[in-house]
Amino acid sequence: MQIEKYKIAAHNDGLTTAHKRRFEFISQEIKNVDEIVNKLAVFQVAIPSWALGTGGTRFGRFPGGGEPRSLEEKLEDIGLLHALNRSGGAVSLHIPWDIPTNTAHIRNMAAQLGLKFDAMNSNTFQDQPGQEHSYKFGSLSHTDKHTRQQAIDHNIEVIRYGAELGSEALTVWLSDGSCFPGQLNFRRAFENTLRSFETIYQALPDQWKLLIEYKAFEPNFYSTTVGDWGQSLLYASKLGEKAYTLVDLGHHLPNANIEQIVALLLMEGKLGGFHFNDSKYGDDDLTVGSIRPYQLFLIFNELIDGMDTRGMQHATDLGWMIDASHNVKDPLEDLLQSVEAIKIAYAQALLVDRAQLTAAQNNHDTALAQELLQQAYRTDVRPLVAEARLRAGGALDPLAIFRSEKVRDSLVKERGKTAVATGL
């Protein structure tokens, strides 16, 4: 299912007059509007292969029909999203949920859709059919060396797939940990994990990054072996210059100051990337920006400040990916909304007057510092984001054309009412 370019052009024609009026209005207030629009146009967010179907919870899934039944169909869906918003031009594969049987074919198909492959994701938090050793009590941290080696071998296998697809990063998230006091020895678990990471690290191609994701709880609720950004940073620092911390916005305890974490990781040169989602209570995996949009803006404020200080490229020097799971929305509509929220927060952060903010901070002018941030946050930057899409060949209102073209109905007709996405 693809939407032809002439349909996107016709959609845009009906909205151009109103868009130009809004864009010209905001352009009068922003001196460097073209620079901001250009930055927005090149900023891409990776779409995970597991997000194209209804994710659900451990209590149940309620598929909506027309979900992708193969990796090829997942690429088609991501290609459709990218054609509409011109901002989802990368795919993040999860192995073994989406093992490519023919990597050359998959890579060529992705290229035809204007997509490239972002970080690869390994899975040692589930037991697979025919697996010799269980991960019930851990994987890279397991007390049994054979189980650890099995998990190491899987990660190295994922690296091989990624190299064939053109990826340059491996993301590792571990569910390893304990549910009860005394269940494991914290130090030995850390040491086992570090030794396992060292073997995986040695298998990385020269240009690759190892991204170590952390999570405070779930599925283990007493301890996790990579439980917070400090533990992830500790692993990454011990491993070497190709190892980094990956921040998932949902993987924090309530009220954690994520923007401060971001600032310090950037300062140390150890921030590797982001998994975007939103939450009300814990790791809720809700649509990006649906609950705490101001927090998302504050995070981007620190990202831009830290990246600019280090001379980093916003679009390419960190990995950006959505990681959400939901039961009640059309997955493709959810992804369109998430990408839009990310681009809005990024655009708002680009508006912050850094010189004035620095002066206010140095002069302890707390009220002015707050005003400068909130002035940027309260600016309606949607015309800037839309203009960036328009210049890149996308739709002025991606969600509207998705609905007017009845994309989900077409997918259900093509794939069936009971089609369930592979993987999850």
Side-chain angles (χ1 to χ4, degrees):
M1 172 65 191
Q2 296 296 311
I3 298 178
E4 294 88 346
K5 290 183 178 179
Y6 78 88
K7 291 185 177 180
I8 295 177
H11 159 84
N12 289 342
D13 286 344
L15 301 175
T16 297
T17 300
H19 164 69
K20 285 186 175 179
R21 182 173 64 251
R22 289 191 291 266
F23 180 69
E24 289 172 359
F25 176 79
I26 192 173
S27 296
Q28 296 173 7
E29 303 296 323
I30 302 173
K31 296 179 181 179
N32 58 334
V33 65
D34 284 331
E35 178 185 348
I36 291 175
V37 170
N38 290 337
K39 287 182 177 180
L40 288 168
V42 299
F43 193 90
Q44 300 292 308
V45 182
I47 306 299
S49 60
W50 64 88
L52 285 308
T54 306
T57 71
R58 64 182 181 273
F59 299 108
R61 291 175 65 189
F62 301 91
E67 296 187 2
R69 301 159 297 180
S70 64
L71 178 53
E72 286 84 354
E73 289 184 349
K74 290 184 177 184
L75 291 180
E76 290 174 358
D77 285 1
I78 296 173
L80 168 64
L81 295 174
H82 185 50
L84 294 179
N85 63 22
R86 305 308 300 169
S87 299
V91 185
S92 188
L93 283 191
H94 189 291
I95 306 296
W97 292 347
D98 292 298
I99 295 178
T101 55
N102 184 330
T103 51
H105 163 68
I106 292 299
R107 188 170 184 175
N108 288 336
M109 181 180 179
Q112 291 172 4
L113 294 168
L115 307 174
K116 67 176 184 178
F117 287 93
D118 202 83
M120 304 292 290
N121 300 265
S122 61
N123 180 343
T124 61
F125 54 85
Q126 290 178 324
D127 287 348
Q128 304 300 323
Q131 181 175 309
E132 183 176 0
H133 304 285
S134 175
Y135 296 136
K136 180 177 181 178
F137 295 108
S139 58
L140 297 183
S141 70
H142 205 284
T143 55
D144 174 58
K145 66 178 181 180
H146 302 291
T147 305
R148 294 198 301 272
Q149 188 61 51
Q150 176 182 269
I152 291 169
D153 292 342
H154 168 68
N155 278 276
I156 293 175
E157 176 190 27
V158 174
I159 293 171
R160 287 199 295 265
Y161 281 122
E164 293 175 7
L165 291 169
S167 172
E168 293 186 348
L170 170 68
T171 295
V172 178
W173 172 70
L174 300 175
S175 64
D176 297 24
S178 63
C179 284
F180 299 97
Q183 181 180 331
L184 57 69
N185 181 285
F186 296 142
R187 288 181 291 104
R188 282 198 293 271
F190 182 93
E191 290 167 353
N192 286 342
T193 305
L194 179 59
R195 300 288 91 79
S196 299
F197 270 136
E198 287 173 343
T199 304
I200 296 167
Y201 186 86
Q202 293 302 316
L204 288 175
D206 289 341
Q207 73 277 17
W208 273 52
K209 294 179 180 179
L210 173 62
L211 306 179
I212 302 173
E213 189 173 357
Y214 59 88
K215 190 175 184 180
F217 63 92
E218 195 187 38
N220 285 289
F221 289 89
Y222 178 64
S223 71
T224 45
T225 304
V226 193
D228 58 28
W229 69 280
Q231 293 174 58
S232 173
L233 177 60
L234 193 56
Y235 285 116
S237 299
K238 289 178 177 292
L239 289 170
E241 61 181 12
K242 294 189 291 186
Y244 298 84
T245 291
L246 184 137
V247 175
D248 184 306
L249 298 188
H251 288 190
H252 300 85
L253 296 174
N255 301 317
N257 192 328
I258 301 174
E259 51 268 38
Q260 184 179 28
I261 295 171
V262 166
L264 297 179
L265 286 172
L266 271 173
M267 181 180 70
E268 293 299 306
K270 280 298 185 180
L271 180 63
F274 268 84
H275 282 182
F276 290 103
N277 47 53
D278 211 338
S279 61
K280 176 69 173 178
Y281 301 105
D283 186 23
D284 303 339
D285 275 345
L286 300 177
T287 309
V288 182
S290 62
I291 304 294
R292 300 173 181 174
Y294 189 54
Q295 181 189 56
L296 184 63
F297 159 75
L298 293 175
I299 290 169
F300 265 106
N301 176 61
E302 295 299 335
L303 284 167
I304 290 173
D305 183 68
M307 293 183 78
D308 287 350
T309 298
R310 298 183 65 86
M312 299 170 67
Q313 296 296 316
H314 298 176
T316 57
D317 285 352
L318 292 179
W320 314 103
M321 195 193 83
I322 294 170
D323 186 3
S325 180
H326 41 82
N327 241 337
V328 298
K329 278 186 184 178
D330 183 308
L332 297 180
E333 292 190 347
D334 177 83
L335 288 165
L336 287 172
Q337 290 180 313
S338 287
V339 172
E340 179 81 352
I342 292 168
K343 299 293 283 285
I344 286 173
Y346 176 47
Q348 291 168 330
L350 289 171
L351 296 182
V352 175
D353 189 320
R354 304 265 156 218
Q356 284 195 51
L357 181 59
T358 298
Q361 292 167 341
N362 290 339
N363 293 326
H364 310 293
D365 192 339
T366 307
L368 178 58
Q370 176 183 326
E371 285 299 306
L372 290 168
L373 288 180
Q374 292 189 342
Q375 180 179 346
Y377 174 70
R378 290 167 177 161
T379 302
D380 185 359
V381 297
R382 288 176 297 174
L384 300 179
V385 177
E387 179 67 17
R389 274 198 307 272
L390 184 65
R391 294 184 187 183
L396 281 172
D397 191 338
L399 184 59
I401 189 173
F402 179 91
R403 291 192 163 193
S404 66
E405 291 298 316
K406 300 184 184 305
V407 173
R408 181 54 61 183
D409 290 344
S410 298
L411 292 174
V412 170
K413 183 177 180 180
E414 175 187 337
R415 300 170 183 172
K417 293 182 179 180
T418 60
V420 178
T422 56
L424 285 174

